[in-house]
Amino acid sequence: MTSIGTGYDLSNSVFSPDGRNFQVEYAVKAVENGGTAVGIRCKDGVVLAVEKIITSKLLKPGANRRISTVDRHVGIVSAGLAPDGRHFVSRARDEASSWRSVYKGPIPISALANRLGSYVQAYTLYSSVRPFGVTSILGGWDSEAELAVDGQVGSGPQSGAGGKVKGAKSGGPGLYMIEPSGLYWGYYGAATGKGRQAAKAELEKLDLASEKLSLHDAVKEAARIIYVAHEDNKDKEFELEMSWISSLEGPTKGRHEEVPKELLEEAERAARRALEGDDEDEEEGAKGNEQMEE
Amino acid sequence: MTSLIDHNPHSNSIGFSFSQSTNAGTKEHSFYPYTDNGGSVLGITGKDFAVLAGDTRSTSGYNINSRYVPKVFKIGGDEDGEGAHILLSVVGFAADGLALKEKLDAVVKMYKYQHGKPMSVRACAQRLSTILYGKRFFPYYVQAILAGLDEEGKGALYGYDPVGSYEREQCRAAGAASSLIMPLLDNQVNLKNQYIPGSGEGHALEARKPEPMPRETVEQLVRDAFTSAVERHIEVGDGLQMLVITANGIEEIYHPLKKD
Amino acid sequence: MNHFPGTWGRPRDDVYGPYDSSYLRSTGPKAHTQSPAVTGTSVIAVKFNGGVAIAADNLASYGSLARFTDVKRLRVFGDAAVVGFSGDVSDMQYIDRLLESMDIRENYSAHGNQLNAKNLHTYLSKVLYKRRSEFNPLWNHILVAGFDGEKKPFLSSADLLGTTFSAPHLATGFGAHLAIPILRRLFPEERPIEEITKEDAIKALKECLKVLWYRDARSLDKYSLAVITQEGIEVQEDQQIEAQSWAFAETIKGYGAQTV
């Protein structure tokens, strides 16, 4: 580590001569040790998944959830220091509710990502604080229907346009990833945590940009990717936690919810099968090679 | 000259010709935070028990809100009143009554958690007075009666005014029909104006001495008091809820009353 | 016009008297709601075998002006309860947003236990009581319909003073005078609730709405009706009162400018 001993890594808000903020880079290291988290954005919804490493047999299975609901239509999953993630979610909830109290409607996913990005970035500026030790994936659905204002009592003008544009399309899925530097981008597929490299490789194969993958298939893919990403960390047991947000016509009606138990189990079975299949292929391939050599 | 001074724009610091709030009168509040929900309650003590009873009608004006809104509560028990050892009745403004009951209930529970023993009725009676006086300048608009068993196991009853003045009594009626019931109680429980026949003439006539009454007699007296009050007061009726506290616990008895 | 710009455009003091600038006041006592502005009239509700039915018309009045005619005064909370509001519409919207934010907070974790109608009523009555105690009331009378913790039909009322009561049928405002007698006749309290079908309840509510439309000047013949059963909540908005007959109107004599 080139930074050690230089003194430029001791304080936040101090650049090194070559323009780096080492505290932020150390925060990224904390993220790189966390359980893998992925998000997949499809045309009809968003899936969030996380590999929850079981640190003790004494923990209750299914408890201590890592994916959080921020508002009805938004969920967050993060990799890295869990308490930092909790605080981040708490801030996200405050932002979402403050947006509601001002605009009387749900916060757009892009606006929430923007506000949270600014929040995280502010923790890179001062020597009195340290950056967030998490990279968070933010998934949500902006309603495609014409939404009533919170507390609205009437239905608007009965005649004339009433300010409404017929057939206008709005809303849709949103997936953002926010890093310790405060950097955030919108993604088709996002991965962070220990197994991010493997996960990203798998996500790239899905051709998400073409928006052909359905939400149901995305759930299965997300499960499989978490299982694949876990391959390099096999000595530790893990639980798969997944949530999703569908379109208004879809299974969650625009809300962020846990993936139902049956579907989750089905996805996990498929994921295990896919992995076993791969192993068999590899073994067969290995045998074939041996024969070739002979 | 006077008129010149009066219209001098410089009389206000910023130079408006109108005055800036000095002549704004205090605004009258047209919101009145109380109402009377009618009904009556009555408590009588015996040697080893106390009875606290109330009708279950809730009114506002000439309307009957509901025919079953209890106003006698168990204090210091769980959600179903299990484990309670004190009774409280509140009559007057029902929302204040409920708030008062919940506050006292919390206090009695906290006492038990902190001291490891149930609060005595005497202590609870004093505490209730303090709670009521705490809102001396925005009072709980209620007449409260507290009942239980004292340290010797005797029936104990405390009557209150809305701001916390209280005394221990043998019996007490409160609420809409209190002026109908209390004189009956004076006569039947405290034996006022009852003399021993043939004990003398004029001032020499000997008054009957009040003695603790048996439970059956008390229960019957409570029922009679309410059936009579129902006949003469429009805000009393529908049902009679009677809670009897003895060493064995609290018993709840319900009798229908006339619904007219 | 003079050379004090502050006086320009104001009524002349010598003609109209000193300008009343009290509304410009930024200091002094804080003004709270002293009377409602845009209001909704009655809400009516009945329990039946396996649920509760609740209805309110779609009118919001500004004094005697029928100001808004498509106002939904039945608000659905989660999948457990319906709250019917009468009184101030802006306070209703405030409470609606309050419930909305509470629902979001309750669903941060999927713990599986939702707030039921009884919990909601307790909460709302405390909000109302707190605000009346601050002399800043939320000017509403609400009915909460749904199920309690034991999955039994629940129907209860709370008003701007924090007064609460529960009964098998309830009505606010004018409905307390006109609908309650009809409902008490149709469903006397002796009659077990198991005998009342959902259809009976809906029919009765529609009949009450019609009577209210006939005789309450601040009412409308467009209404909303919600039915809450274990299967879920059905809300019908934009309903129309049917089979109206104004024949009775001719028989009303002796008021106003009538001479015959």
Side-chain angles (χ1 to χ4, degrees), chain B residues 197-210:
Chain B
S199 58
E201 288 290 318
H203 289 293
L205 201 59
E206 196 184 330
R208 276 186 66 190
K209 290 232 163 44

Side-chain angles (χ1 to χ4, degrees), chain A residues 40-43 188-189 199-214 221 224-225:
Chain A
I40 300 178
R41 189 188 118 141
C42 342
K43 206 173 166 186
Y188 287 113
K200 275 189 214 167
E202 291 298 320
L203 283 167
E204 279 166 21
K205 288 182 201 162
L206 294 176
D207 185 24
L208 292 166
S210 69
E211 298 199 321
K212 279 179 197 141
L213 190 71
S214 74
E221 290 297 343
R224 189 181 62 79
I225 291 170

